[in-house]
Amino acid sequence: MSETTLALAGNPNSGKTTLFNALTGARQHVGNYPGVTVEKKEGVHVHEDRRFKIVDLPGTYSLTAYSLEEVVARDFLVNEKPAAVIDIVDAANLERNLYLTLQFMELGVPVIVALNMIDVAQQRGISIDTEKLSRLLDVPVVATIARRGEGKAELIEVTERIVGEGLKPQALDISYGKDIDQALAEMEAQITAAGLLTDVYRARWVALKYMENDEQILSLGRKADPQLSASLEAIVAKVTDHLKATHDLYPEAVIADHRYGFIKSILQQGVLSVKHDRDRLYLSDRIDSVLTNRFAGPLIMLAVVWGLYQFTFTYSALPVTWLEGFFGWLGGMAEVYLPDGLIKSLLISGIIDGVGGVLGFVPLIMFMFLGIAFLEDSGYMARVAFMLDRVFRVFGLHGSSVMAFIVSGGIAGGCAVPGVMATRTLKSKRERLATLLTVPFMNCGAKLPVFALLVAAFFASHEALVMFIITLVSWAGALLVAKLLRSTVVKGESTPFVMELPPYRLPTFKGLLIHTWERTWQYVRKAGTVILGISVVLWALMTFPGAPDAVQQQFETERQTLLTAAPAVAQEINNAFEGASLSAAAETLQGELDGIAAREAEAALRYSVAGRIGTALESLSQWAGFDWRTNIALVGGFAAKEVVVSTLGTAYSLGEVDTEETGSLSEKLARAPGWRPLTAISLIVFTMFYAPCFVSVVCIAREAGGWKWGAFSMVFNTVLAFTLAVVVYQAGSLLGF
Ligand code: GDP
Ligand code: MG
């Protein structure tokens, strides 16, 4: 049986995976492309006496060398020379999808277009003349509905015929306008004469890539023939200057315009006819003229975010109190019914006061997620990205960066891990790096309980306002750092951004519930697994080895001295039962005894492993107003930010004696000596900016292509955070706060 390799390519979400599954069934194999983390899926389809090995290329919009996916797809086509590319085109977004098709044709590989999602196109009133499209493009076009397997058989038949004939198509040469065409011709001649890279690529294609400033081809060319490369680059520079002067455009933009022009001209020749879904589009447009208005839009956006926080804090206040009450009750029961000892301490201080502190905020998280789900499902979040694109450009970021920021918790409650992954849609490596290094500054779901705790303890009457300010500060910080990075370590040009705005939709109740539930459950599950595990470890670090015998002895002596000095009063305390009123002398003695017990508990914590670390850091951290207990929590926060809350819970639980005065952790913090609103602000600032959690660091290292960047983000962020916290704390102290 003869074996033939086919590549499956197309834009993301065009139905590639669906078609791949339909063609190969269970005969699949998943691996990686050599040397990179891009997933490579292979499968087999047997048709009569031919075995088709089908490779699912990464989904891309283009074939430039801006993103890893594009380089992988291109390299595969050039090096492995598949017999044909099955290019999946989303019929509902024909114009944008054909942009990629055109680039396959320019590369000169045999293309078969699978015109997919015909059903969706029909629903939207789009009809496409497949035959005419095929004739004008000069490639076979087969209509498919991958989800139902329709058109699969015909697609394979056509492929069989193309492969069987073994015809190599004429590569497509588009005109890019007089200036560029002239330069390309000149360059093509030089490239052909010297044979630069022509063993793999067509000469005109190499010239085109030089014109497009393609990093991969540029560096290959420079290595192969520095002199010729310099001469080609000089031609490009001349055209670039000319185009800049006459049209204020870069060659890349002119080239893209002409490609789209080519597509438009094909579509207008009766290939595409659209019966508009007028009403919805019209309504969306009208809404957009207000919501994305240059002046009103940003104000409305701020109001929406403000409203979200107001909504969240107002409606979650009561359920949060209930939950805190529940954990308080649970702790009380454990206090009464469990025998003293390590197990009791682990259960109360490590688990109930630690993890319970994180779980206490579940209602708040839930309301926040509900609001976010509404903004996303309605289509408003896309508008936020659209509006912020203008701002982002100023700071050297890209429109697609906005989405990564929002996913990471830009408004609230996201996660930096998917945020870092979302930067994959960024084409420019530099913009991508700047984005993925700054998304961890957003207020992810793990930081929320930390902020909520501190806000509840010190700014209880202005919760929404403080949360709003926190959000603004985190964005300002992220953008300024991005600007700093883009003008130092990752300097370079910006790339253009086109964004489609989906029509507004009224979210369905079910959709909102599902989204809210998914995310809330994720939060709860993380608290019950990862955070629980870390809490137990931290409890152990905060418990062992305990105070040395000599120190314990000292407290015991102190106690005995007091008791023997006034035996009658001691006797009274001993005999009194819970809740009985004591004489004035007994009250005083009890107070003194409690004082000793408190100092004893504090000493035990101080002498523990974690306590020693916290104390050692105190000489430095005091500049930001953090005492040794806070230091323990912050060190724990390197693992995951929720741990800051659980660790503070454990620390204040271990150090606590007088059970009658317990309350929620926020109440304890508000009462604790050494804590004031300024301390809370300093801690909020530090938590906002310091090292990303462990999982995020791993993810950053992987996506940025090296541990260097993971380490960079840990060190840089922590130094930045500490500096800011010190500035805030010192300035605040000077001003008398
Ligand atoms: P990929 O990103 O290109 O791999 O796209 P997927 O194969 O994951 O498909 C994206 C979505 O489109 C999935 O929800 C599919 O079920 C759906 N889909 C794929 N092909 C069709 C189609 O022909 N018609 C419709 N209505 N949906 C489709
Ligand atoms: Mg896929």
Side-chain angles (χ1 to χ4, degrees):
M1 210 190 283
S2 56
E3 186 172 275
T4 308
T5 305
L6 296 177
L8 210 57
N11 287 11
N13 281 318
S14 54
K16 240 158 32 68
T17 303
T18 313
L19 185 65
F20 180 75
N21 291 339
L23 287 176
T24 61
R27 277 177 289 185
Q28 299 185 1
H29 167 79
V30 181
N32 270 356
Y33 286 92
V36 291
T37 51
V38 177
E39 190 179 82
K40 179 184 190 181
K41 271 204 296 202
E42 285 181 12
V44 171
H45 178 87
V46 179
H47 178 74
E48 290 165 8
D49 59 348
R50 201 187 286 278
R51 251 172 85 89
F52 287 111
K53 190 176 101 183
I54 305 181
V55 178
D56 188 16
L57 295 185
T60 61
Y61 295 105
S62 180
L63 272 194
T64 46
Y66 287 134
S67 79
L68 200 54
E69 278 75 14
E70 294 177 351
V71 173
V72 165
R74 203 165 86 179
D75 285 349
F76 182 83
L77 295 179
V78 174
N79 299 330
E80 313 275 324
K81 297 198 174 44
V85 178
I86 296 182
D87 175 20
I88 308 187
V89 165
D90 174 359
N93 291 294
L94 194 55
E95 188 175 331
R96 193 191 62 202
N97 278 248
L98 285 179
Y99 191 80
L100 180 67
T101 312
L102 231 55
Q103 294 184 54
F104 291 132
M105 294 166 66
E106 286 181 316
L107 197 57
V109 291
V111 176
I112 297 149
V113 169
L115 193 59
N116 195 34
M117 308 242 189
I118 288 287
D119 53 333
V120 181
Q122 257 160 11
Q123 273 168 24
R124 295 197 197 157
I126 301 172
S127 56
I128 297 165
D129 185 339
T130 325
E131 247 168 68
K132 204 175 242 176
L133 178 64
S134 166
R135 204 170 58 237
L136 291 171
L137 277 180
D138 197 20
V139 297
V141 177
V142 180
T144 61
I145 302 178
R147 198 147 71 174
R148 293 193 229 134
E150 280 177 35
K152 194 175 80 175
E154 196 192 337
L155 186 65
I156 287 297
E157 255 165 53
V158 171
T159 309
E160 170 76 44
R161 203 177 63 228
I162 296 283
V163 171
E165 288 170 3
L167 287 181
K168 287 281 164 239
Q170 181 79 39
L172 175 71
D173 287 338
I174 300 176
S175 161
Y176 297 110
K178 203 179 91 237
D179 297 324
I180 292 186
D181 282 351
Q182 230 165 38
L184 283 180
E186 202 181 320
M187 291 161 76
E188 191 183 342
Q190 294 189 13
I191 292 168
T192 313
L196 179 70
L197 307 179
T198 47
D199 48 336
V200 205
Y201 305 101
R202 294 194 310 126
R204 183 175 152 102
W205 191 83
V206 174
L208 186 58
K209 291 298 129 177
Y210 262 85
M211 193 61 79
E212 284 183 293
N213 219 342
D214 186 288
E215 282 177 29
Q216 192 197 22
I217 296 299
L218 271 175
S219 76
L220 284 176
R222 280 176 192 152
K223 229 177 280 162
D225 189 342
Q227 216 175 345
L228 174 58
S229 189
S231 142
L232 297 174
E233 283 170 57
I235 298 177
V236 172
K238 214 173 85 195
V239 183
T240 307
D241 285 345
H242 181 68
L243 288 173
K244 281 293 284 181
T246 50
H247 301 288
D248 195 23
L249 284 174
Y250 282 96
E252 292 101 300
V254 177
I255 290 172
D257 280 350
H258 279 85
R259 283 193 187 127
Y260 276 117
F262 183 86
I263 294 168
K264 269 217 170 72
S265 73
I266 287 183
L267 298 185
Q268 276 167 3
Q269 294 177 49
V271 170
L272 186 73
S273 55
V274 184
K275 188 164 89 336
H276 264 302
D277 183 357
R278 272 237 165 68
D279 292 343
R280 202 172 64 187
L281 275 182
Y282 188 42
L283 183 62
S284 270
D285 285 348
R286 268 200 314 198
I287 299 177
D288 268 339
S289 68
V290 180
L291 292 191
T292 62
N293 178 282
R294 262 192 121 73
F295 304 103
L299 292 179
I300 295 174
M301 181 168 75
L302 290 178
V304 166
V305 174
W306 166 268
L308 170 70
Y309 297 158
Q310 198 71 45
F311 162 81
T312 303
F313 284 106
T314 308
Y315 289 100
S316 67
L318 201 59
V320 166
T321 330
W322 292 338
L323 222 63
E324 281 176 350
F326 169 73
F327 285 114
W329 172 82
L330 206 63
M333 292 315 256
E335 181 69 50
V336 173
Y337 288 108
L338 290 179
D340 281 346
L342 281 179
I343 298 286
K344 179 174 183 173
S345 165
L346 169 65
L347 222 69
I348 295 182
S349 299
I351 297 176
I352 298 176
D353 284 343
V355 179
V358 177
L359 284 178
F361 289 109
V362 164
L364 186 131
I365 297 283
M366 210 174 69
F367 278 97
M368 193 72 98
F369 286 160
L370 178 63
I372 297 275
F374 185 87
L375 295 182
E376 279 177 355
D377 292 2
S378 63
Y380 186 71
M381 218 53 127
R383 271 73 189 179
V384 171
F386 175 76
M387 283 186 275
L388 287 174
D389 172 49
R390 294 178 212 152
V391 182
F392 270 48
R393 243 162 243 272
V394 178
F395 293 93
L397 293 174
H398 189 260
S400 305
S401 315
V402 182
M403 238 31 232
F405 272 63
I406 289 176
V407 171
S408 305
I411 310 280
C415 174
V417 172
V420 169
M421 303 299 253
T423 63
R424 286 187 175 186
T425 56
L426 285 161
K427 296 181 165 192
S428 142
K429 219 162 99 186
R430 301 202 172 89
E431 285 170 343
R432 177 162 185 227
L433 208 51
T435 309
L436 66 81
L437 289 175
T438 46
V439 291
F441 294 143
M442 295 294 102
N443 301 322
C444 67
K447 290 184 203 170
L448 273 187
V450 185
F451 297 153
L453 169 72
L454 295 168
V455 171
F458 296 97
F459 309 99
S461 45
H462 303 286
E463 289 175 313
L465 174 66
V466 176
M467 193 60 214
F468 187 68
I469 296 174
I470 288 175
T471 305
L472 293 186
V473 171
S474 69
W475 280 82
L479 289 178
L480 288 174
V481 170
K483 183 76 192 169
L484 179 74
L485 293 174
R486 289 287 275 140
S487 26
T488 53
V489 269
V490 282
K491 238 197 282 216
E493 294 279 347
S494 311
T495 53
F497 169 65
V498 207
M499 177 165 180
E500 283 171 79
L501 293 177
Y504 286 102
R505 286 200 184 86
L506 195 63
T508 64
F509 191 61
K510 193 172 153 205
L512 290 181
L513 286 189
I514 291 176
H515 284 149
T516 308
W517 167 250
E518 279 171 357
R519 293 177 190 171
T520 308
W521 174 238
Q522 246 174 25
Y523 179 87
V524 172
R525 204 178 46 189
K526 188 174 172 198
T529 52
V530 180
I531 305 299
L532 175 66
I534 301 175
S535 290
V536 170
V537 171
L538 276 164
W539 167 84
L541 291 176
M542 286 192 267
T543 302
F544 301 108
D549 288 344
V551 176
Q552 285 181 20
Q553 194 53 51
Q554 213 177 319
F555 286 114
E556 196 47 44
T557 318
E558 242 182 276
R559 211 175 346 249
Q560 289 313 321
T561 318
L562 272 183
L563 290 174
T564 43
V569 188
Q571 192 63 38
E572 183 191 341
I573 290 178
N574 209 19
N575 292 341
F577 42 86
E578 190 74 21
S581 59
L582 296 171
S583 68
E587 285 279 8
T588 318
L589 180 60
Q590 183 64 58
E592 284 168 329
L593 286 175
D594 287 348
I596 295 175
R599 278 187 290 126
E600 191 176 13
E602 181 178 323
L605 181 56
R606 248 191 206 280
Y607 279 104
S608 70
V609 176
R612 283 168 211 243
I613 295 174
T615 310
L617 289 172
E618 209 175 28
S619 62
L620 188 64
S621 71
Q622 60 168 342
W623 291 97
F626 307 149
D627 71 353
W628 56 284
R629 283 194 186 87
T630 311
N631 291 345
I632 302 176
L634 291 175
V635 171
F638 275 96
K641 293 281 152 64
E642 295 98 330
V643 174
V644 175
V645 173
S646 60
T647 308
L648 280 175
T650 305
Y652 280 91
S653 174
L654 285 173
E656 167 184 276
V657 208
D658 194 344
T659 44
E660 276 160 53
E661 258 197 47
T662 55
S664 69
L665 179 55
S666 52
E667 285 162 8
K668 285 182 206 165
L669 287 187
R671 274 200 314 264
W675 278 90
R676 53 194 162 120
L678 183 61
T679 328
I681 295 178
S682 169
L683 184 55
I684 286 174
V685 168
F686 188 79
T687 307
M688 185 152 40
F689 291 112
Y690 88 113
C693 69
F694 182 67
V695 182
S696 300
V697 171
V698 172
C699 195
I700 287 172
R702 208 177 49 204
E703 293 295 313
W707 278 103
K708 176 176 83 170
W709 292 112
F712 174 86
S713 92
M714 275 182 80
V715 175
F716 176 83
N717 293 13
T718 306
V719 170
L720 172 77
F722 188 65
T723 313
L724 291 176
V726 170
V727 168
V728 165
Y729 189 74
Q730 294 302 328
S733 300
L734 270 182
L735 295 173
F737 288 105

